């Protein structure tokens, strides 16, 4: 572990991880909570995301305006996000306003009072957000694809919830969900600034030390039973949208890093990815084509996405399967492997230039792995990957008979 990261646990179980960077004038601070949409019951679908919204809508000592204005008025940013397994509240300010950030983050995380009038207003906002996603096939296909990969399981549900569930939430539902799921031993405060650790710890203790300890024996439903499928639908769209992929390795799997490298080689953000070169650059069949993966506590998912004219759809699918077969059948040469490693290490290093991204990763890493891996540790894992590792992973993950495919056709092609 990078010795520049310092960790302390408060008496109530909340942990703080801090990195001091003396050259920065900014302070980034976040509260990562090990609760996400997968922790919801069927009736609670979308409540984690709704809670994230409502946290800004009033606490026992601040109204909405005071929460938003407290950070914005000093030129800072206050934000949050919800994922399948986490809720994260965070802020960025000039370092002299760090204490204000900690105060506000503590308040909105643990003292939200969910005003009834604000619930009604925010309900409308979230329903509009849901409509926006439904109207965009590039977004909606991803949500529906999750359902195909994780059928009848919380990982397959939309983070936003359903129209019915969002319309059903009352004030008490938020208090109940928090009581059922929040464990202070599964809360991490992450921080990056030029402040020394003892100063950060003193401020954090002041605002988080008085939070009542909460322990929770919640257990997450483990996913099993993935089965590949093919689903085709007709939509009021002009192009065909396609997503194909499968269940993949869980967060702690020993093959996750080789798979990360392989997916990046196949369809990562670089213009020289195999899918981009083999389909966009060579034939001009698509504007954008990409591959990505997500890893969870007990499972994972990978997918390839593209949109094209319906008459070019079958040609694109054949080319995608050709690239997957190539990775299954042919080992990378020495130079190809070296280049793939250099590329992904460079991408990771550039993302590491953002202190905000690092701060968010620190909280997530401590919750997921009980540590935050340094660049050096990650690079060592990448350098240890062999061509044989990649072929083995490709044959496990990219086998044609285990792929799920979801296609949206234009209605005009019926």
């Amino acid at each position: 572990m990078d010795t520049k990261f310092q960790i302390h646990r408060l008496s109530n179980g909340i942990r703080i991880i801090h990195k001091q960077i003396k050259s920065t004038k900014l302070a980034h601070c976040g509260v990562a909570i090990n609760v996400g949409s997968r922790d919801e019951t069927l009736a609670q679908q979308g409540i984690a995301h709704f809670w994230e919204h409502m946290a800004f809508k009033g606490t026992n000592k601040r109204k909405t305006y005071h929460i938003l204005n407290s950070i914005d008025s000093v030129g800072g940013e206050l934000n949050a996000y919800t994922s399948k397994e986490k809720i994260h509240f965070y802020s960025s300010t000039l370092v002299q306003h760090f204490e204000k950030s900690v105060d506000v983050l503590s308040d909105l995380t643990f003292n939200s009072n969910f005003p009834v009038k604000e619930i009604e207003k925010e309900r409308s906002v979230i329903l509009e957000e849901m409509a926006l996603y439904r109207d965009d096939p590039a977004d909606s296909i991803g949500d529906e694809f999750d359902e195909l990969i994780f059928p009848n399981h919380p990982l397959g549900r939309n983070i936003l919830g359903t129209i019915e569930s969002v319309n059903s939430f009352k004030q008490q539902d938020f208090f109940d969900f928090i009581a059922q799921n929040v464990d202070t031993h599964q809360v991490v405060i992450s921080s990056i600034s030029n402040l020394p650790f003892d100063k950060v710890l003193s401020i954090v203790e002041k605002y988080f030390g008085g939070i009542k300890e909460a322990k929770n024996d919640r257990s997450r439903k483990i996913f099993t039973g993935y089965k590949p499928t093919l689903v085709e639908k007709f939509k009021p769209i002009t192009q065909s949208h396609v997503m194909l992929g499968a269940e993949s390795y869980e967060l702690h799997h020993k093959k996750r890093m080789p798979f990360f490298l392989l997916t990046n080689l196949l369809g990562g953000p670089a213009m020289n990815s195999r899918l981009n070169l083999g389909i966009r650059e060579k034939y001009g069949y698509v504007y954008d084509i990409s591959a990505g993966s997500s890893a969870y506590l007990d499972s994972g998912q990978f997918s390839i996405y593209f949109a094209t004219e319906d008459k070019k759809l079958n040609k694109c699918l054949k080319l995608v399967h050709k690239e997957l077969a190539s990775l299954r059948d042919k080992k990378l040469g020495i130079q190809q492997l070296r280049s793939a490693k250099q590329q992904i290490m460079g991408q990771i290093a550039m993302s590491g230039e953002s202190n905000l991204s690092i701060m968010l990763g620190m909280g997530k890493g401590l919750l997921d792995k009980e540590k935050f891996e340094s660049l050096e540790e990650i690079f060592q894992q990448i350098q240890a990957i062999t061509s044989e590792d990649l072929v083995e992973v490709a044959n496990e993950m990219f086998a044609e008979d285990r792929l799920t495919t979801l296609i949206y056709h234009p209605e005009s092609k019926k």
Side-chain angles (χ1 to χ4, degrees):
M1 176 130 182
D2 193 329
T3 56
K4 294 178 182 177
F5 297 96
Q6 294 171 281
I7 299 174
H8 178 81
R9 188 185 290 273
L10 303 180
S11 60
N12 55 17
I14 296 174
R15 284 173 289 176
I16 168 73
I17 178 171
H18 174 67
K19 181 173 184 178
Q20 183 181 20
I21 299 179
K22 293 183 179 180
S23 60
T24 185
K25 297 183 183 300
L26 295 177
H28 303 283
C29 185
V31 183
I33 309 167
N34 202 18
V35 176
S37 62
R38 74 170 300 174
D39 301 305
E40 301 162 346
T41 65
L42 275 172
Q44 293 173 330
Q45 290 180 76
I47 198 166
H49 172 257
F50 207 143
W51 168 24
E52 173 219 312
H53 278 235
M54 286 303 302
F56 296 84
K57 301 303 176 180
T59 71
N60 295 329
K61 67 177 183 179
R62 288 181 172 92
K63 294 185 177 181
T64 304
Y65 171 79
H66 299 112
I67 293 172
L68 301 179
N69 189 59
S70 60
I71 302 301
D72 284 8
S73 65
V74 295
E77 294 182 356
L78 183 65
N79 213 333
Y81 70 83
T82 303
S83 68
K84 303 277 188 179
E85 296 184 330
K86 304 284 186 298
I87 295 175
H88 217 137
F89 301 105
Y90 58 95
S91 70
S92 299
T93 63
L94 291 170
V95 71
Q96 59 262 38
H97 305 298
F98 175 72
E99 183 167 353
K100 179 177 286 190
S101 285
V102 175
D103 180 12
V104 172
L105 287 170
S106 172
D107 195 28
L108 64 84
T109 303
F110 289 101
N111 294 314
S112 292
N113 56 11
F114 305 104
V116 173
K117 289 184 179 180
E118 294 294 339
I119 290 174
E120 294 309 315
K121 285 193 289 186
E122 207 60 27
R123 194 192 314 277
S124 296
V125 171
I126 292 173
L127 291 173
E128 288 296 327
E129 184 180 0
M130 293 169 71
L132 188 66
Y133 274 81
R134 287 196 304 271
D135 288 344
D136 187 343
D139 287 323
S140 59
I141 197 171
D143 291 331
E144 190 167 351
F145 189 74
D146 282 349
E147 294 177 23
L148 296 179
I149 300 298
F150 304 110
N152 304 311
H153 189 275
L155 286 174
R157 298 178 197 152
N158 191 321
I159 290 172
L160 299 182
T162 66
I163 293 174
E164 294 74 21
S165 63
V166 169
N167 273 318
S168 73
F169 297 140
K170 303 292 189 294
Q171 184 184 57
Q172 189 59 43
D173 295 321
F174 294 96
F175 291 119
D176 291 344
F177 180 74
I178 290 170
Q180 291 160 7
N181 289 281
V182 173
D183 183 334
T184 51
H185 296 260
Q186 292 295 308
V187 174
V188 171
I189 301 158
S190 53
S191 166
I192 289 181
S193 70
N194 62 18
L195 297 172
F197 187 54
D198 58 349
K199 176 65 173 177
V200 170
L201 192 56
S202 174
I203 293 172
V204 169
E205 179 72 53
K206 178 179 177 180
Y207 293 99
F208 284 88
I211 302 297
K212 184 178 179 181
E213 181 181 21
K215 292 186 177 180
N216 204 299
D217 295 328
R218 174 203 68 191
S219 61
R220 284 170 163 164
K221 181 182 177 182
I222 303 301
F223 175 75
T224 58
Y226 166 73
K227 293 180 180 179
T229 186
L230 168 65
V231 175
E232 298 184 71
K233 294 189 174 184
F234 291 88
K235 302 275 187 176
I237 52 180
T238 57
Q239 286 187 304
S240 288
H241 292 254
V242 180
M243 190 162 273
L244 67 156
E247 185 194 13
S248 61
Y249 303 120
E250 69 270 14
L251 186 67
H252 299 290
H253 200 286
K254 64 181 180 180
K255 294 180 182 178
R256 194 175 70 85
M257 187 60 77
F259 184 53
F260 181 48
L261 173 61
L262 191 68
T263 306
N264 193 65
L265 175 68
L266 174 67
M271 289 189 290
N272 69 342
S273 74
R274 291 200 172 191
L275 290 175
N276 193 66
L277 290 177
I279 298 176
R280 172 181 165 147
E281 296 301 328
K282 189 172 183 179
Y283 296 100
Y285 287 165
V286 299
Y287 173 72
D288 180 51
I289 185 166
S290 60
S293 63
S294 300
Y296 306 115
L297 175 69
D298 53 305
S299 186
Q301 179 244 76
F302 91 89
S303 61
I304 297 166
Y305 167 78
F306 65 88
T308 188
E309 291 182 73
D310 197 71
K311 65 183 180 181
K312 298 174 182 175
L313 173 61
N314 289 333
K315 292 178 182 178
C316 286
L317 284 170
K318 287 179 181 178
L319 290 169
V320 169
H321 284 290
K322 179 182 176 182
E323 294 297 339
L324 295 176
S326 175
L327 290 171
R328 293 195 304 265
D329 300 337
K330 299 176 184 177
K331 290 196 306 183
L332 294 187
I334 295 174
Q335 183 54 43
Q336 288 177 312
L337 180 61
R338 182 183 297 118
S339 177
K341 290 179 179 179
Q342 290 296 322
Q343 182 176 62
I344 199 167
M345 287 191 294
Q347 291 169 348
I348 292 171
M350 283 191 287
S351 68
E353 287 292 299
S354 165
N355 286 335
L356 174 59
S357 295
I358 296 173
M359 181 275 293
L360 294 172
M362 286 160 56
K364 184 177 184 300
L366 202 56
L367 287 174
D368 286 339
K369 298 183 176 182
E370 297 299 315
K371 69 172 187 175
F372 179 70
E373 293 176 318
S374 66
L375 273 181
E376 290 73 19
E377 290 174 301
I378 295 171
F379 287 177
Q380 286 173 8
Q381 294 174 41
I382 293 172
Q383 292 289 19
I385 297 170
T386 67
S387 294
E388 289 77 13
D389 292 334
L390 297 182
V391 168
E392 181 179 343
V393 167
N395 278 277
E396 289 181 6
M397 291 292 106
F398 297 158
E400 197 163 340
D401 62 359
R402 72 180 301 272
L403 296 179
T404 285
T405 304
L406 175 59
I407 302 173
Y408 287 174
H409 296 283
E411 287 180 340
S412 59
K413 298 298 179 180
K414 274 187 178 181

